Each structure stands twice: as C-alpha cells, then as structure tokens.
Amino acid sequence: MTINTNIVHKTRTQVVLEALRERILSGDIAAGTPLRQSALASELNVSRIPVREALLQLESEGLVNFEPHKGATAAGLCAEQAQELFELRALIETDLLAKSIDKMTQDHFDIAQKLLDKLEASLHQPDSSNTWSSLNTAFHASLYVAANRTSTMEIVQNINSNCDRYVRLHLLHLGSFQDADKQHQQLLDFCKARDKKAACELLHQHLLGSASEIVELVLRQTK
Amino acid sequence: MTINTNIVHKTRTQVVLEALRERILSGDIAAGTPLRQSALASELNVSRIPVREALLQLESEGLVNFEPHKGATAAGLCAEQAQELFELRALIETDLLAKSIDKMTQDHFDIAQKLLDKLEASLHQPDSSNTWSSLNTAFHASLYVAANRTSTMEIVQNINSNCDRYVRLHLLHLGSFQDADKQHQQLLDFCKARDKKAACELLHQHLLGSASEIVELVLRQTK
DNA sequence: AAATGGTAAGTTGTATACAAAAAAAGAGTC
DNA sequence: GACTCTTTTTTTGTATACAACTTACCATTT
C-alpha cells in the first residue's frame, strides 16, 4: 500500500532541508527572499525546530544567509562568487582528474558513459533542468573517483552544490547545453585514451567557459 | 552620541558552538568521543536545542559526525584526510598567493609582519598551542586578502579549520615550530620582494612539509 | 518636519515536554 | 553458552510554550 517501503526514516529536518535546497537551487525561491521560520513550518507541516535546523545547514552550504535574531534569506546570486567558484573548480578538478586518469578502469569508464548518456537524454525532455544539473555533477564526480580522494571530493561536492544555482540559471536561459555535452563526451574520450594533458586542458576550458557565460548572465540578471 | 554597540548579543548556540569547537580542536574532547546532547546541555547550562544546533554546525565544519537517531561523535583523526587537506591547501593557497602578491601594499605587509611577530612571541609562552594555531591561520590569510577573493577565502578558512586539529597535534608533539617561523618570515620577505615564483614554491614546500610530518604523527597516534 | 522615546507587533531564540527511535537488558528456547 | 524475541532504558527528534530581541508604529518633543 505504501510506496515508500525502502525509504528509511528520514527525519523531518532532512525532509525540510531537501525541500528548501531544491526550491532555492531551482529558483522557485528567488535570491534574497526572506525565509520566515513559522511560514515555512506551517507550509511544510512541521514545527519551527526542523525548519531552523535545515536553515542552519543550508547556511553552511552557502545557499542561505542566516543572521541571528534577524532571520534567514535565500543567498543572492553574485557574479564574483560564480567566477571564483568555477575557477576554484577548475583548479581542484583538473588536479583530481590528473590524479585519477591513470587509475581509471573499464568500470569507471562504463559508469561515466552511462551518466553521459542519461545526461544527453535528459536534454530532450521537457523538464530537464531538474535532473540535468545533478547528472552533470555526478558525471564530473565519476571521473574523479579513481583518484580515491574522499575528503577532497567532499569539498568539491560542496562547491558544486553552490555552482548548481548558476548552472541551472544558465540552462534556463540557454535552453540546452549541446556544447557542454559535446565537451563532456570528448573529455571522457580523452580519459579513455589516458591523455592526461588534453583531458585537463579541456576540463579547464569547459569550466572557465561556463564561468564567463554565467558571469555575464548574472550581471545582466542582477543589474 | 549614541553608543552603537558592536557588541552583539551572542546566542547560546554560538556560545556552545565556540566552546565545543575549541574543545575538539584542542584535543580536550578526544577524537571519537560520543557527544551526548543532554550531558553537554547540563554541563553548559543550556537546553538541548542550542547544543543540537551547534553540533549540526560542527558537522558541516567536519569536526563532528552527526548520525540521525544515533548521536554525534567528535570526528576522528585520519592520515589520509590530513594529507588531502594539506595538499588542497597547497594547491589553493599558492594560487591565491600568486594572485595576491602583485596587489599587496605596505599596509598588507605591515599587518602580516605584526601577526608574524605575535606568532613568534607566542612560542615563548607556556600556553602557546591555544593561540599559535589561530595566529598561524591569520598570518596565512593576511597574505591572501589582497587577492580580494571572498568566496575562495571562505572555503580556505573552512579547510583550515579542519587542519587546525592536526596542526595543534603537531605543535603538541614538537613543542615548537621554529622551522615554521623561519619559513614564515622568509615567505613574507619573498612577498615584499614581489618574488612570486619563490614565494609560491616556499609556501608549497611549507605546507607539504607539514603534511608529511603530520601524517607520520597521526599514523603513529592512531595505530 | 525631524528627532526622540516608548510602546506594540512580529520574529527569532530557547526551555520544557513528550514522541519515536535505538541501545541495553532480561526471559525464554535451542 | 549462544541465539532470538520481548521489555526496559536511554537517547534522540520534534511540538509547544514562552522569553528575548528587532522592527514598526505612534505619540511627544524640539
């Protein structure tokens, strides 16, 4: 009868956290919107406690600004931040990729390819922006797992979570990322060929290219 | 003449947060120790709510592992993590330094020098490990502010907060960091001379050198 | 009108109380 | 004794209630 048989006891805090994160990332909650605890609580049918805890976690993820006694707001979009985050990704992810390439096995390639296929398929669907972004993150991550760098990956995922907002904005305005998909496939091919230099170079360009487009978009948006 | 009090009322959550962070960083609360909410609450004369919120924030800082329904524990020390974090710092901080050096003014040099003097002075005091580490972090940060990279600095500070535990352990076992201080002065001198290459090279060595000593120490500790 | 001051309303912060889950302790079986 | 299943205890999760802070409003004063 119940659909959620294998869902194991999510706390309300987690439910609220995921709901709010998605709403902010998707733009459903616009940048700068004040996030009133009681309003969110009654809207999500919980008390203020889980809402507060979720907001606190979102603050540490950088998606929310939480000021004591004042309240929380959805973090604003900022061109400088976007530029910095993507440059940081370029720096760290090329390093990860360089460390990963030699260790990648056929299994890693297969997993990455499967994600890439899904990514491409998602573009042809109407409701793509929801899924494209997380698949994009997953694809990138799949190229680095062989480096076996748990702590680094955790930090990268965190940075990515922030980039997500900008990527979704980007996608929303462009309609599709055909260039990105082409670059992704090429990137994976370079990995398969173990061409470290070419792969890192391409990844670097891929990220900085996104950055400059996004920065321009944000500047226009927030002006 | 209104006395605009910049002294804001600290919430109990913040007080608990700082108290617990310091205890974990200093080793007063050992790695792996279970952190019982009620125990901490009564010990700090607050209710469990601020304790929970502080634990949640410490989890996002990486100092605590928080498992739903199970409870929180002080995060364990891990050689791999230390290695990764210091390598990451080397990667990001050398990049920051390279971007910063050309923009540094006399003011920046003065501030850095002042921090360095304090750092050196702190070594001659009995209770050094408390202050040395935060001064060390501040000194490093002072070299990068000119790069004017807010978001990047935020992430660096976060990584540093995790490194702190390892640095303090290091200091505790070595008794002093005379080498580090010598390297710090040399680093600042390179900055003053605008010798980007030498400064970055030294910073890189400085961080990786610490890393290898710390890794060895942690391996011995946790064995 | 601008500034001051002081209430009132709204929002956040935290203590308390209770519900739910996990861990620990017994009771019975093999 | 080891194992399973129940029962008890401990610990965490969350709703509610109230206290503390901030802001907005209005009266008073200059």
Side-chain angles (χ1 to χ4, degrees):
Chain A
M1 184 175 175
T2 49
I3 308 162
N4 48 348
T5 49
N6 45 358
I7 291 175
V8 278
H9 259 78
K10 266 185 193 165
T11 65
R12 284 162 219 260
T13 298
Q14 286 172 304
V15 173
V16 174
L17 178 64
E18 282 163 28
L20 288 180
R21 186 193 287 126
E22 181 54 29
R23 284 202 202 174
I24 294 172
L25 286 177
S26 71
D28 182 19
I29 292 179
T33 308
L35 303 166
R36 289 285 130 69
Q37 295 172 10
S38 346
L40 293 171
S42 62
E43 193 177 340
L44 296 165
N45 284 310
V46 296
S47 79
R48 272 174 52 226
I49 300 287
V51 172
R52 280 181 63 79
E53 293 188 351
L55 288 174
L56 241 25
Q57 291 185 252
L58 288 168
E59 146 99 14
S60 74
E61 290 180 25
L63 295 178
V64 156
N65 295 326
F66 195 111
E67 264 186 296
H69 294 290
K70 300 275 184 74
T73 54
L77 296 173
C78 164
E80 285 84 20
Q81 187 195 30
Q83 181 71 35
E84 284 189 45
L85 290 181
F86 276 88
E87 280 188 31
L88 210 45
R89 280 187 59 187
L91 188 67
I92 303 175
E93 292 190 26
T94 53
D95 186 66
L96 274 175
L97 185 60
K99 289 193 169 83
S100 177
I101 278 190
D102 289 336
K103 295 183 184 173
M104 288 181 85
T105 66
Q106 189 60 44
D107 276 356
H108 292 123
F109 294 142
D110 290 346
I111 291 170
Q113 187 65 59
K114 203 167 255 177
L115 285 166
L116 202 49
D117 294 343
K118 279 193 200 169
L119 202 53
E120 216 163 337
S122 84
L123 277 183
H124 304 312
Q125 291 187 336
D127 194 17
S128 58
S129 72
N130 294 347
T131 55
W132 196 90
S133 189
S134 65
L135 282 170
N136 178 40
T137 303
F139 169 70
H140 276 262
S142 76
L143 300 178
Y144 317 138
V145 285
N148 196 28
R149 299 229 137 197
T150 318
S151 301
T152 309
M153 281 301 288
E154 222 170 277
I155 289 163
V156 166
Q157 295 291 2
N158 207 46
I159 298 173
N160 258 286
S161 160
N162 260 281
C163 288
D164 245 30
R165 312 180 67 196
Y166 299 102
V167 171
R168 292 202 198 193
L169 185 70
H170 197 189
L171 186 60
L172 208 67
H173 274 251
L174 253 59
S176 96
F177 276 172
Q178 282 156 355
D179 283 2
D181 261 348
K182 229 174 272 173
Q183 286 180 320
H184 281 157
Q185 184 63 61
Q186 206 176 349
L187 180 57
L188 180 52
D189 290 343
F190 282 142
C191 290
K192 287 177 181 169
R194 315 276 184 194
D195 190 341
K196 202 180 293 184
K197 195 155 179 291
C200 290
E201 185 75 24
L202 178 60
L203 178 59
H204 199 262
Q205 280 181 3
H206 170 62
L207 288 170
L208 293 195
S210 300
S212 70
E213 288 181 23
I214 286 170
V215 163
E216 203 182 342
L217 193 59
V218 172
L219 282 177
R220 209 175 312 154
Q221 195 91 359
T222 57
K223 183 163 45 183
Chain B
M1 206 74 26
T2 55
I3 307 164
N4 191 351
T5 59
N6 284 338
I7 309 162
V8 283
H9 196 252
K10 261 188 195 166
T11 65
R12 283 162 218 261
T13 298
Q14 287 172 304
V15 173
V16 174
L17 178 64
E18 282 163 29
L20 288 180
R21 187 192 288 124
E22 182 54 30
R23 284 202 203 174
I24 293 171
L25 286 177
S26 72
D28 183 19
I29 292 178
T33 307
L35 302 167
R36 289 283 131 68
Q37 294 172 10
S38 346
L40 293 171
S42 62
E43 192 176 344
L44 296 165
N45 283 310
V46 296
S47 79
R48 271 173 51 226
I49 300 286
V51 172
R52 279 182 63 79
E53 294 188 351
L55 288 173
L56 241 27
Q57 291 185 251
L58 288 167
E59 146 98 15
S60 74
E61 290 180 26
L63 294 179
V64 156
N65 295 324
F66 195 110
E67 262 186 298
H69 295 290
K70 300 273 183 77
T73 54
L77 296 173
C78 164
E80 285 85 19
Q81 188 195 30
Q83 181 72 35
E84 283 189 45
L85 291 181
F86 277 87
E87 280 188 29
L88 210 45
R89 283 186 59 186
L91 188 66
I92 302 174
E93 293 191 24
T94 53
D95 186 67
L96 274 174
L97 186 59
K99 290 192 168 84
S100 178
I101 278 189
D102 290 336
K103 297 182 182 172
M104 288 181 86
T105 66
Q106 189 60 43
D107 277 356
H108 292 122
F109 294 141
D110 290 346
I111 292 170
Q113 186 66 57
K114 203 167 254 176
L115 285 166
L116 202 49
D117 292 344
K118 280 193 201 168
L119 203 53
E120 214 163 336
S122 85
L123 277 183
H124 304 311
Q125 290 187 335
D127 196 15
S128 58
S129 70
N130 294 345
T131 56
W132 197 91
S133 189
S134 63
L135 282 170
N136 178 41
T137 303
F139 169 70
H140 277 262
S142 76
L143 300 178
Y144 317 139
V145 285
N148 197 26
R149 299 230 135 198
T150 319
S151 301
T152 309
M153 280 302 287
E154 222 171 278
I155 289 164
V156 166
Q157 294 291 2
N158 207 46
I159 297 173
N160 258 287
S161 160
N162 259 281
C163 288
D164 246 30
R165 312 180 67 196
Y166 298 104
V167 171
R168 293 201 197 192
L169 186 69
H170 197 191
L171 185 60
L172 207 66
H173 274 252
L174 252 60
S176 99
F177 276 172
Q178 281 156 354
D179 284 3
D181 261 347
K182 231 174 272 174
Q183 285 180 321
H184 281 156
Q185 185 63 62
Q186 204 175 351
L187 179 58
L188 180 54
D189 290 343
F190 282 142
C191 291
K192 287 177 181 172
R194 314 279 185 192
D195 190 340
K196 201 180 294 185
K197 194 156 180 288
C200 290
E201 183 75 24
L202 178 60
L203 178 59
H204 199 264
Q205 280 180 6
H206 170 62
L207 288 169
L208 293 195
S210 300
S212 70
E213 288 181 23
I214 285 169
V215 163
E216 202 182 341
L217 193 58
V218 172
L219 283 176
R220 209 175 311 154
Q221 196 90 357
T222 57
K223 181 164 49 179

